[in-house]
Amino acid sequence: MASKSKKWANLYLVFVFILMYAPIFYLIFYSFNKGDFMTDFSGFSWRHYVDMFADTRLMQILVNTFIVALLSALIATLIGLFGALGIYNTKRQSVKNILLSLNNILMVSPDVIIGASFLVFFTIVGLKLGFGSVVLSHIAFSIPIVVLMVLPKLNEMNPALVDAARDLGANNYQVLSRVVLPYAWPGILSGFFMAITYSLDDFAVTFFVTGNGFSTLSVEIYSRARQGIDLSINAMSALMFLLSLILVIIYYFISNYSSKNGKKKRGARMVVHQ
């Protein structure tokens, strides 16, 4: 009975993955179409990729997208790191739970609500919509991601390491740079890569806070798709999917390496204690 239930669970999982990825692979498949439509595959060709790279506006938007992703991820990682440290060092569990709940609000709130809220906020403060508003909004929704990546690593750290460093005369900066940050480094890198991925993939929030004269790939692809089918959009979407996949794979290997390294360290400490 258990094996039969497991079989149905596996079939359901396969069905879900097919449902999610079939449209993506359909889009990628027709990016290599020699023709101009997604209704008839007339032969293999790279011409839509050539057209994509020849489009100077699209290439400028590509550069803008990567600048926004890298800049917002760097700042969000720095802020998220200190936010995680603040939550970790909070002694009262009730206060810690409140801070975690506040941190998770942007994670569970609908993107449309977040985007509309940022639009209202930027309008009230008089900030012109464009590069600055997009970067600020991407920083805001990336910070909770970084906190959730870093905090588990801090919780895994033995508090005795910090106490031992202080007993040996280390000041706050030395404790942070030589004990805490090296231990939390895999989580910091994971948060950075996840922040880049979320920034590259975001559409709903960016759509609300993008002004005239500035755009990102997600917004540009949406705008062009509404005007008609252009398979250069398929080519760009295929490249963005590949990039996101690479970032996720990097994140997976960092997490896997961190987990194995942590187990080795705990095993070494057990051997020493014995």
Side-chain angles (χ1 to χ4, degrees):
M1 186 69 180
S3 60
K4 188 175 181 180
S5 299
K6 186 177 180 181
K7 179 181 177 181
W8 281 108
N10 291 335
L11 288 174
Y12 176 75
L13 186 62
V14 170
F15 171 75
V16 170
F17 274 104
I18 291 175
L19 190 65
M20 288 192 301
Y21 285 98
I24 297 175
F25 289 119
Y26 179 81
L27 179 148
I28 294 174
F29 175 74
Y30 274 97
S31 70
F32 299 103
N33 188 15
K34 188 176 181 180
D36 295 322
F37 304 99
M38 287 196 294
T39 54
D40 180 32
F41 191 83
S42 56
F44 181 88
S45 174
W46 292 95
R47 78 179 186 90
H48 298 295
Y49 288 86
V50 175
D51 293 341
M52 176 193 69
F53 285 110
D55 190 333
T56 55
R57 170 178 166 78
L58 195 58
M59 290 300 101
Q60 181 59 50
I61 292 174
L62 178 64
V63 172
N64 292 341
T65 303
F66 279 107
I67 290 175
V68 168
L70 289 173
L71 183 60
S72 63
L74 281 171
I75 299 175
T77 301
L78 183 62
I79 298 174
L81 170 61
F82 285 101
L85 288 171
I87 295 174
Y88 173 76
N89 291 319
T90 300
K91 302 302 181 183
R92 295 182 60 181
Q93 188 61 41
S94 58
V95 177
K96 183 179 290 189
N97 291 335
I98 291 173
L99 292 175
L100 282 171
S101 299
L102 291 174
N103 175 78
N104 295 337
I105 287 176
L106 286 176
M107 296 286 292
V108 299
S109 298
D111 288 344
V112 174
I113 302 300
I114 296 172
S117 300
F118 280 130
L119 176 61
V120 172
F121 174 74
F122 293 143
T123 302
I124 292 174
V125 300
L127 179 66
K128 184 179 179 181
L129 298 182
F131 175 78
S133 61
V134 173
V135 170
L136 288 175
S137 61
H138 282 220
I139 291 172
F141 68 65
S142 296
I143 290 174
I145 301 167
V146 177
V147 171
L148 292 179
M149 294 292 105
V150 176
L151 196 57
K153 297 301 176 185
L154 295 176
N155 290 330
E156 290 176 4
M157 183 176 62
N158 190 342
L161 295 174
V162 176
D163 295 335
R166 294 190 186 280
D167 291 340
L168 293 172
N171 56 35
N172 290 334
Y173 174 76
Q174 290 172 328
V175 170
L176 179 64
S177 61
R178 298 184 183 183
V179 179
V180 177
L181 290 184
Y183 204 97
W185 185 244
I188 297 171
L189 282 179
S190 298
F192 175 72
F193 282 115
M194 290 299 291
I196 291 178
T197 303
Y198 271 73
S199 178
L200 291 174
D201 292 344
D202 180 73
F203 166 75
V205 176
T206 308
F207 181 78
F208 279 93
V209 298
T210 299
N212 293 329
F214 184 85
S215 184
T216 62
L217 275 177
S218 58
V219 177
E220 181 68 14
I221 289 173
Y222 171 76
S223 300
R224 294 193 180 196
R226 293 187 64 187
Q227 297 172 4
I229 297 176
D230 182 358
L231 295 189
S232 63
I233 297 176
N234 292 42
M236 178 58 71
S237 301
L239 290 180
M240 292 302 297
F241 173 76
L242 179 62
L243 178 62
S244 299
L245 184 63
I246 291 172
L247 291 174
V248 171
I249 291 173
I250 292 173
Y251 161 70
Y252 168 78
F253 279 109
I254 290 174
S255 300
N256 194 39
Y257 172 78
S258 172
S259 178
K260 290 182 179 179
N261 197 35
K263 289 180 180 179
K264 288 181 180 178
K265 287 181 178 179
R266 286 192 291 270
R269 284 198 295 268
M270 291 177 64
V271 171
V272 171
H273 287 205
Q274 290 175 355

